[in-house]
Amino acid sequence: MTPDDFQNGPITITAYDWVPDFAQGFVRDLRLRWALEEASFPYQVEILAQGTQTGPANLARQPFGQIPTLTVGRQTMFESGACAWRIAEASDELLPRGSAERDACFCWLFGALDSLEEPINTVAFLRLFAEDKEAAQKLEGQALAMLRGRLSRLADALGERSFLVADRFTIADLMVTFVLRSAAAADDLDPFPSLKAYVEQHSARPAFRRALEGQMKPFRENATKYEAAA
Ligand SMILES: N[C@@H](CCC(=O)N[C@@H](CS)C(=O)NCC(=O)O)C(=O)O
């Protein structure tokens, strides 16, 4: 998938027609929508009905039976981080030209998905999904301490700045902001005012607001159908 392919299109991503309330606004197609909106690449969205993600058509393009995928021309990619990186490479809006700065963005993209998202998801899992609530409660403090350690290091690295790389918005800020939004929604950023401000600032970007509305629209339209079936 080359930058030229993005100019030629068509570009299609996959997303869901509905998800439960707690996931609305956080489903990972939003990462691709946001990157594509920032880059001003026109794109289409193939909406999957809940339950069809593990059918053969989606498994052929996403081996774990998930969304999102990104199709540009005839090629399809999966994993939102990999897809977002390809979008970023195709647009000056998301990546600086200098190779050291591009490498720094690459590091932060992995940092977001590995060093930050992993402890954020662990805490969320213990709070929301663990079946043994007593065991989960015992582990939550330890998991939260680890998360706070990571957030503290991030706050140090960001300092007073609004951007992680090159004094401008890049794919690094997009991905770090995205993963921090879940921590912000759970009030876990409260001890880190600079990170809270960072998330608020970047989530106010017009491209993000458009992307969010794009994700939420089908959820509103299909709510009655899924709520009636519950
Ligand atoms: N690492 C994958 C995770 C994708 C993922 O977790 N997708 C969720 C929606 S945000 C999904 O489709 N979940 C349904 C499932 O796992 O059955 C990525 O970043 O693309």
Side-chain angles (χ1 to χ4, degrees):
M1 207 176 271
T2 68
D4 281 348
D5 296 332
F6 281 84
Q7 300 301 332
N8 299 331
I11 301 172
T12 306
I13 64 167
T14 47
Y16 289 129
D17 62 348
W18 181 84
V19 295
D21 275 359
F22 74 86
Q24 295 193 4
F26 296 91
V27 192
R28 289 170 173 82
D29 58 285
L30 187 52
R31 296 171 175 176
L32 308 195
R33 291 177 191 265
W34 187 6
L36 290 163
E37 293 284 350
E38 292 284 352
S40 299
F41 288 136
Y43 61 98
Q44 302 153 12
V45 183
E46 182 184 332
I47 299 280
L48 274 67
Q50 268 303 335
T52 62
Q53 63 267 40
T54 47
N58 197 50
L59 281 172
R61 61 190 166 189
Q62 214 293 1
F64 305 111
Q66 298 175 317
I67 64 98
T69 56
L70 169 71
T71 301
V72 180
R74 289 200 209 143
Q75 197 192 334
T76 298
M77 292 178 66
F78 65 98
E79 283 300 328
S80 59
C83 299
W85 182 254
R86 276 285 179 265
I87 297 167
E89 280 185 323
S91 166
D92 287 343
E93 298 302 319
L94 287 163
L95 267 187
R97 290 278 170 98
S99 73
E101 291 172 336
R102 292 170 89 91
D103 286 352
C105 287
F106 202 38
C107 295
W108 277 114
L109 182 120
F110 272 89
L113 298 178
D114 187 353
S115 302
L116 294 169
E117 187 172 41
E118 195 266 327
I120 289 170
N121 282 353
T122 301
V123 171
F125 173 82
L126 291 171
R127 285 178 183 154
L128 298 174
F129 304 117
E131 284 172 10
D132 185 340
K133 298 290 172 209
E134 210 176 306
Q137 231 169 3
K138 282 189 191 143
L139 290 171
E140 189 186 320
Q142 198 182 345
L144 196 55
M146 179 191 259
L147 173 58
R148 287 194 178 139
R150 293 283 162 82
L151 293 173
S152 174
R153 299 291 89 75
L154 175 66
D156 289 348
L158 187 63
E160 302 291 308
R161 295 172 304 137
S162 300
F163 307 105
L164 286 162
V165 180
D167 224 12
R168 51 159 285 199
F169 185 79
T170 64
I171 191 69
D173 299 306
L174 186 152
M175 204 53 93
V176 170
T177 298
F178 193 100
V179 303
L180 289 182
R181 285 178 64 245
S182 309
D187 297 332
D188 289 329
L189 292 192
D190 287 358
F192 305 95
S194 65
L195 298 184
K196 246 181 119 166
Y198 173 83
V199 170
E200 276 163 21
Q201 180 192 350
H202 296 313
S203 307
R205 292 176 69 84
F208 178 80
R209 305 315 303 177
R210 288 194 298 275
L212 183 62
E213 172 52 23
Q215 174 170 105
M216 296 299 288
K217 191 164 177 275
F219 298 166
R220 286 195 300 271
E221 290 167 355
N222 293 305
T224 328
K225 176 173 116 190
Y226 283 97
E227 279 156 20

